Amino acid sequence: MWWDQLERLPEARGVDRARFEAEIKPAAQPVVMRELVSAWPAIAAARGGAEALGGHLKARSREEPLDVWIAEAELNGRFFYGEGLTGLNHRRERSTVGGLLDRLVRDEASEAPEAAYAGGVPLDRHMPKLLAEVPMPLLSPETERLTSLWLGNRVRTAAHWDLAQNLAGVIAGRRRFILFPPQSIGDLYVGPIDVTLAGQPTSLVDFHAPDFEAFPRFREAMKAARVAELGPGDVIYIPSLWFHHVETLSPVGAMVNFWWRDGPAWMKTPQLTLMHALLTMRDLPPAEKRAWRAFFDHYIFGEEAVGHIPEGARGVLGEMTPENYRRIAGMLMQSLGR
């Protein structure tokens, strides 16, 4: 397949928090860290097979309902939209972590099982006992994060981006990650941003059978892509907004990931700005859009925009105090309410 010819992601061993903070995060490039979490107890249990893993995880789970995605075997694990990007090509069933594990163990030996998985399962709600057993040594204990479980059989997660930074550690099975920098967005043919499979916009390209007539620029995306295959104990760092396509290569796969943001606590998602810009900027004449790009470069992306204004006279351009935050939010709500 085409990904066999891709450049491999860089790898690092023996990474500690100090090195991660000083070298890896500032570079904002994805990295694979082999065997970083190999001491997690769930990984030791997984070495005993699917039943042993299932017993270990079920003993640490609650009977808390969750959504499980199910796709017919002929879809080869590709969860996607329905015809014309309306509806979905799969169904959702309510189950529990234990119920999904029973299904995975039952289907492990099947030659053509239905694809089944649950993603982004918050451990604090569904598996608090497991949460205590999967420490992430690269994050400070004070770092606010969302820790989630990804559990399923041979499934494919379409290329998508996440706002948060991501550290993902494999517990069982093998996973292939294909990553693209944010600059590849125009070559990935991303679908709707408000009607999505699971919350995030995804590439419409079938990576197992790219249609270059429908998606010719995907060839450019392939040139920028990087690939890595992870096994139990390995961790991948995915910086904010990097696209990643993830495929489970084993009959049973389990992974835990950690999402976090480094911005100030008051900061909202920039996707709100994108939605606002759809209202205010997208359909402007080209010359006006170019002018506004210069303004955004100056006020938002520039390093020094207000140094010439006395501090007490900077208004909304000043430091983001709680008072300034409320003032800006009020201006926006007032304008949108008209």
Side-chain angles (χ1 to χ4, degrees), residues 155-169:
V155 300
R156 289 184 270 161
T157 302
H160 65 285
W161 57 266
D162 294 313
L163 174 63
Q165 299 184 77
N166 189 358
L167 284 163

Side-chain angles (χ1 to χ4, degrees), residues 9 31 40 47-48 91 115 157 183 187 217 219-220 231 249 269 273 298 300 322 332:
L9 283 177
V31 176
W40 284 354
R47 296 190 189 106
R91 67 185 189 275
T157 302
Q183 293 76 14
D187 300 324
R217 293 197 311 275
R219 293 188 188 276
E220 294 301 312
L249 307 175
T269 168
T273 308
H298 178 72
I300 305 300
L332 288 173

Side-chain angles (χ1 to χ4, degrees), residues 315-330:
V316 297
L317 296 175
E319 180 183 355
M320 191 57 65
T321 62
E323 180 183 7
N324 207 6
Y325 177 90
R326 288 191 294 269
R327 182 180 179 186
I328 295 172

Side-chain angles (χ1 to χ4, degrees), residues 221-240:
M222 293 164 63
K223 296 176 183 178
R226 301 292 182 268
V227 66
E229 189 173 311
L230 275 64
D234 296 339
V235 170
I236 186 171
Y237 169 58
I238 304 176
S240 175

Side-chain angles (χ1 to χ4, degrees), residues 6-284:
L6 295 179
E7 181 178 333
R8 267 42 185 175
L9 283 177
E11 298 185 7
R13 293 181 181 267
V15 177
D16 59 14
R17 188 183 306 160
R19 182 181 170 194
F20 180 69
E21 292 285 348
E23 299 178 16
I24 293 177
K25 258 205 324 181
Q29 297 288 318
V31 176
V32 173
M33 291 160 281
R34 299 292 183 189
E35 301 179 1
L36 181 71
V37 294
S38 57
W40 284 354
I43 293 175
R47 296 190 189 106
E51 286 196 41
L53 173 66
H56 183 90
L57 295 182
K58 284 199 289 184
R60 289 153 176 80
S61 65
R62 293 173 172 170
E63 289 296 311
E64 182 76 24
L66 51 72
D67 283 334
V68 176
W69 290 18
I70 310 293
E72 300 297 328
E74 57 265 26
L75 295 174
N76 295 316
R78 188 190 186 211
F79 292 88
F80 195 61
Y81 294 97
E83 190 70 26
L85 303 189
T86 60
L88 303 171
N89 72 344
H90 54 279
R91 67 185 189 275
R92 300 190 189 192
E93 297 180 358
R94 295 294 280 173
S95 185
T96 62
V97 171
L100 175 56
L101 285 163
D102 289 341
R103 182 189 189 105
L104 297 177
V105 171
R106 181 198 70 197
D107 291 347
E108 182 184 18
S110 173
E111 292 186 3
E114 290 185 313
Y117 95 104
V121 179
L123 293 191
D124 59 353
R125 178 178 175 183
H126 292 268
M127 307 182 74
K129 293 181 180 178
L130 181 66
L131 182 60
E133 296 181 349
V134 289
M136 173 40 65
L138 303 185
L139 297 180
S140 166
E142 289 75 36
T143 300
E144 184 176 348
R145 87 283 307 261
L146 176 62
T147 306
S148 304
L149 176 71
W150 302 77
L151 182 66
N153 49 21
R154 298 182 191 272
V155 300
R156 289 184 270 161
T157 302
H160 65 285
W161 57 266
D162 294 313
L163 174 63
Q165 299 184 77
N166 189 358
L167 284 163
V170 175
I171 289 176
R174 300 196 66 80
R175 288 179 185 249
R176 180 189 301 114
F177 289 78
I178 303 176
L179 275 71
F180 306 82
Q183 293 76 14
S184 291
I185 184 170
D187 300 324
L188 286 169
Y189 296 90
V190 177
I193 65 174
D194 56 335
V195 181
T196 65
L197 298 174
Q200 290 302 104
T202 60
S203 172
L204 302 182
V205 180
D206 182 351
F207 279 32
H208 279 212
D211 183 346
F212 294 113
E213 290 190 8
F215 309 119
R217 293 197 311 275
F218 185 64
R219 293 188 188 276
E220 294 301 312
M222 293 164 63
K223 296 176 183 178
R226 301 292 182 268
V227 66
E229 189 173 311
L230 275 64
D234 296 339
V235 170
I236 186 171
Y237 169 58
I238 304 176
S240 175
L241 301 184
W242 274 72
F243 286 88
H244 45 290
H245 178 282
V246 189
E247 182 170 359
T248 304
L249 307 175
S250 307
V252 177
M255 181 179 73
V256 167
N257 87 303
F258 307 81
W259 279 310
W260 82 100
R261 295 188 69 192
D262 288 332
W266 54 261
M267 186 174 287
K268 302 292 187 182
T269 168
Q271 193 161 357
L272 293 175
T273 308
L274 178 63
M275 299 297 285
H276 200 177
L278 292 175
L279 291 176
T280 62
M281 299 181 67
R282 185 187 61 179
D283 296 330
L284 289 174

